[in-house]
Amino acid sequence: MNLIIDDTDHPLIIKVASIQSARMQVYFIDNDDYFQHRLMATDEEGTEYADNDERSIFYARGVLETVKKLRWCPELVHCQGWISALVPLYIKKAYMEEPSFRDSKVVLSLFEDDLKSSLQEDIIEKIMLKNIVRGDVEALLPASATFKDLQKLAISYSDGIIAHSEKVDPELLEFAREKGVPVLQHADPETFADAVNNFYDEIWSQGN
């Protein structure tokens, strides 16, 4: 399928592989323009890609359209880092009437390796989808917005936050608490997995 971003068609390629020992299928989102011959967020010299915000838009929409196409109905969607920062907004606004996401809870993981560059000036126009109005995003994406602002937008539409490092920006964690979003602090690696599972149960039980 194609996704339109900034009036340009971008082919969405869905790939699937299997992990035999775990009896698990893994789905991959691909696109030659945004991901081919690239590293995660920076080039080989450590320079952040200028279109990382567009890559984030494509990834978020690509994942959600894939879930919708496969007719999955996830009870909980766990977003990992900056690349998925727009997923909470899209689930809670643009896809809120879709059967796949009508009852979904969203958990966002924060890491210490946030991007430093500014978002493109027309980022709000590129983000827009049905059911999203400018007021939903403008307050948290001011002129010269950064990826920290994008993370705050993600926090605002999440049901829970997980700090995956002791060095997660304290401003983001404080922002989550001010918004009344439950936060799971980073803990001993030996007990963290159990803590995350318990946190999932806590988030899912809210409103159910």
Side-chain angles (χ1 to χ4, degrees):
M1 70 183 80
N2 285 344
L3 298 181
I4 299 175
I5 300 175
D6 197 25
D7 296 326
T8 302
D9 281 343
H10 297 277
L12 168 63
I13 304 168
I14 305 168
K15 302 179 180 180
V16 62
S18 296
I19 302 176
Q20 298 291 347
S21 59
R23 296 182 180 178
M24 179 184 296
Q25 286 187 315
V26 182
Y27 289 77
F28 297 87
I29 300 300
D30 201 5
N31 172 270
D32 291 346
D33 295 330
Y34 290 130
F35 304 120
Q36 192 75 6
H37 306 302
R38 295 208 201 185
L39 301 179
M40 181 64 182
T42 67
D43 61 22
E44 290 81 357
E45 298 178 355
T47 302
E48 295 178 8
Y49 297 118
D51 62 349
N52 272 340
D53 46 9
E54 278 192 23
R55 297 170 77 213
S56 177
I57 294 171
F58 181 88
Y59 177 79
R61 290 180 55 189
V63 168
L64 297 177
E65 287 296 328
T66 299
V67 171
K68 179 180 166 183
K69 185 178 183 67
L70 295 173
R71 297 182 180 179
W72 292 341
C73 295
E75 294 181 345
L76 189 143
V77 178
H78 192 160
C79 305
Q80 301 278 346
W82 68 270
I83 192 70
S84 61
L86 287 166
V87 169
L89 169 68
Y90 285 153
I91 287 180
K92 300 296 185 177
K93 287 291 186 176
Y95 289 78
M96 64 180 180
E97 298 174 355
E98 295 289 345
S100 290
F101 302 105
R102 189 174 295 149
D103 300 316
S104 297
K105 301 291 187 179
V106 182
V107 171
L108 173 70
S109 281
L110 298 177
F111 299 84
E112 60 183 90
D113 55 346
D114 291 330
L115 303 183
K116 307 303 182 186
S117 57
S118 296
L119 306 178
Q120 298 176 32
E121 292 183 359
D122 57 350
I123 184 64
I124 291 180
E125 285 72 21
K126 294 176 180 177
I127 287 174
M128 287 298 175
L129 284 178
K130 66 177 182 178
N131 298 328
I132 298 177
V133 298
R134 296 185 69 90
D136 295 328
V137 296
E138 278 185 333
L140 294 171
L141 292 181
S144 301
T146 65
F147 278 89
K148 180 184 285 189
D149 298 311
L150 193 62
Q151 296 280 49
K152 288 182 177 180
L153 182 69
I155 291 169
S156 296
Y157 289 96
S158 295
D159 298 295
I161 303 298
I162 298 178
H164 273 272
S165 167
E166 296 177 351
K167 297 180 180 179
V168 169
D169 190 332
E171 181 182 339
L172 294 177
L173 298 180
E174 181 60 27
F175 180 82
R177 295 187 180 97
E178 290 175 355
K179 291 288 185 180
V181 182
V183 175
L184 176 65
Q185 291 280 6
H186 180 71
D188 186 322
E190 293 186 2
T191 61
F192 196 48
D194 288 337
V196 170
N197 282 331
N198 292 335
F199 191 66
Y200 284 160
D201 292 338
E202 175 189 338
I203 297 304
W204 174 243
S205 66
Q206 295 177 3
N208 292 309

